[in-house]
Amino acid sequence: MADEPPFEVKLQITSLSLTDFQKLAGLPELDGRVNATIDLHGKLNRSPLIDSDDPLGLSITADISVTVTDLSAQDPAGVIQLGVHETSWQGSLEATVSEAGTQYSMMGDLSVSSAAARQGETTVIGWNKATITGLSLDSAQNIGFSELGFRGLKLFGKESPALETTLTITDLSLVPGQTVNLNKVDLSNIRGNLLINENGELELLEDINNLSNAFLLDEESTGAVSAEEETNPMAISLGGFSANGTLLFKDSSISPAFQQEITLEEISLGTVNSAQADNPTDVKIRSSLDEYSRIDIDASTTLLAVKPDISSAITDKQ
C-alpha cells in the first residue's frame, strides 16, 4: 500500500504568558514570555480512513526555535527562586509513532543568559551566560553534548561572591543509571575567597553545603536508592581536569588574622575512570604566593579506589 503524501505544519507563538501554565506545572510562581517557531514535516504510512491490517504509523521532523524572556519561577517547595533574562533553543526533532511506541531524538543548541537563583533574599548562584552546543536527547534517555560553558559563574557567600570562574565541559555522554563520560573539565580565571572564620570554619565549604541543601529534595521526594543502584553504581570516566586563577586566603581564627593571595598558575588532573579505580591519576599543581615564594606539587593518586593511595613530590621555593 502506497504511503500517504507528506504534510507540513508551521506554528508561530508570540508572547505567550507562562503565568497561564503555573497551576499545570505545580509551581508556586511561574512567569515569563515565550516566542516560538516550529516548522514540522510529517508523513503517515497510510490513510487512517482506510481499513487495513497494516498498523498506522507516523514519522515527523521539525525545526524548532524557542525563546523565553524574563523567566521567573519558584520550586514546588518554595525554597529556590529562579530568575533568567533569556533562554533560547535552536534545534531539530525527529520522531516516529507506531503501535510499538514513540521513538524520538532531539539535537540543538541551548543558551541561558543572566541567570540567578535565590534563597529568600540571598543570591546563592548565578552566571552571565551558559551555553550548550550539540545537545542531544533521545527516547532512551541518552544525553550528550559537545560543549557546556558557563561564563561569569558565581557562587555567592554571605557578603560577596565566594567563587567566580569560567567553567567548560567538553564531550559529555550520559546513559542514566549506567555511564557518564566526560572528555575534559576546565575551570579558568578562578577568583575565590578561602576565608576561615573566628570558629576555624572554612566559609567556602559552608557556602557549598548551603547551596547543596537548597537544591536537594528531601528523601520523601527522591525516594530510596534501589539495591541495584547500590550494587551497580554508575560508571564515571573523566579525560582530564584543569584550572587556574587566584585565591585570597584569610584566617581569622588566629590573632592577628593572617592573609595571603595565592596564584594558581596551573592545576591539572589526568584520566580518571571508575572502571579502573586502582590505576593512578597524575596530579600537577603550580602555584605562587608572591614573586619570591611558590609551591609546586607533582602527585599520583588513586582517587576512586576503595583505599585511595597518594604519592607526591612537593617543592617549596623561597
Side-chain angles (χ1 to χ4, degrees):
M1 182 177 295
D3 289 347
E4 284 290 293
F7 60 89
E8 181 177 344
V9 177
K10 291 183 180 290
L11 177 63
Q12 182 105 23
I13 300 172
T14 304
S15 198
L16 174 67
S17 174
L18 287 176
T19 305
D20 300 331
F21 300 90
Q22 178 182 335
K23 290 184 179 179
L24 181 64
L27 300 176
E29 180 184 334
L30 179 63
D31 196 9
R33 294 284 174 178
V34 177
N35 293 278
T37 301
I38 302 173
D39 187 1
L40 184 146
H41 300 264
K43 191 175 183 179
L44 288 168
N45 67 329
R46 65 173 177 83
S47 171
L49 302 178
I50 298 176
D51 188 16
S52 172
D53 292 334
D54 294 332
L56 187 64
L58 170 67
S59 61
I60 61 173
T61 61
D63 294 321
I64 304 171
S65 174
V66 180
T67 301
V68 181
T69 55
D70 299 326
L71 173 67
S72 177
Q74 194 173 46
D75 74 295
V79 176
I80 294 295
Q81 179 82 31
L82 177 66
V84 180
H85 173 60
E86 183 175 282
T87 303
S88 65
W89 164 267
Q90 301 279 341
S92 61
L93 167 70
E94 294 184 2
T96 58
V97 182
S98 65
E99 288 186 343
T102 300
Q103 304 293 321
Y104 69 87
S105 63
M106 296 181 66
M107 177 168 285
D109 300 330
L110 177 70
S111 68
V112 182
S113 302
S114 299
R118 301 193 311 273
Q119 186 177 19
E121 298 299 319
T122 304
T123 301
V124 291
I125 193 171
W127 60 84
N128 296 336
K129 188 170 185 177
T131 57
I132 305 178
T133 57
L135 175 63
S136 61
L137 310 167
D138 63 28
S139 48
Q141 298 184 335
N142 297 313
I143 302 171
F145 58 71
S146 300
E147 182 175 287
L148 179 150
F150 282 90
R151 293 208 310 264
L153 177 62
K154 301 180 182 71
L155 170 63
F156 287 85
K158 295 178 180 178
E159 299 179 358
S160 61
L163 186 67
E164 181 174 357
T165 186
T166 296
L167 168 66
T168 304
I169 300 174
T170 56
D171 297 332
L172 174 139
S173 61
L174 169 66
V175 180
Q178 298 182 40
T179 62
V180 56
N181 298 315
L182 297 162
N183 179 40
K184 183 74 180 295
V185 176
D186 178 73
L187 291 173
S188 60
N189 301 317
I190 296 171
R191 289 186 294 172
N193 298 315
L194 295 178
L195 308 179
I196 298 177
N197 61 26
E198 292 84 354
N199 299 321
E201 300 166 336
L202 184 59
E203 292 187 0
L204 179 59
L205 293 180
E206 184 180 347
D207 295 332
I208 294 174
N209 185 58
N210 291 339
L211 177 64
S212 300
N213 291 337
F215 282 95
L216 288 176
L217 299 176
D218 57 31
E219 291 184 4
E220 293 182 359
S221 301
T222 58
V225 176
S226 67
E228 182 179 355
E229 289 174 323
E230 288 185 346
T231 56
N232 299 292
M234 183 178 290
I236 300 171
S237 174
L238 172 64
F241 170 84
S242 61
N244 64 74
T246 303
L247 297 175
L248 175 64
F249 176 77
K250 184 178 180 179
D251 188 351
S252 298
S253 65
I254 59 176
S255 182
F258 173 77
Q259 182 171 309
Q260 176 69 58
E261 185 174 86
I262 305 171
T263 300
L264 302 174
E265 300 168 359
E266 178 186 1
I267 299 177
S268 64
L269 183 69
T271 301
V272 178
N273 192 330
S274 62
Q276 301 171 342
D278 291 326
N279 287 358
T281 297
D282 292 332
V283 179
K284 180 180 178 181
I285 298 176
R286 298 291 181 265
S287 63
S288 61
L289 307 181
D290 52 43
E291 60 180 314
Y292 304 108
S293 302
R294 61 180 298 107
I295 297 177
D296 296 338
I297 299 175
D298 291 283
S300 179
T301 178
T302 52
L303 288 173
L304 301 181
V306 176
K307 294 181 178 180
D309 180 48
I310 184 169
S311 60
S312 63
I314 302 177
T315 305
D316 182 1
K317 298 180 180 179
Q318 294 188 359

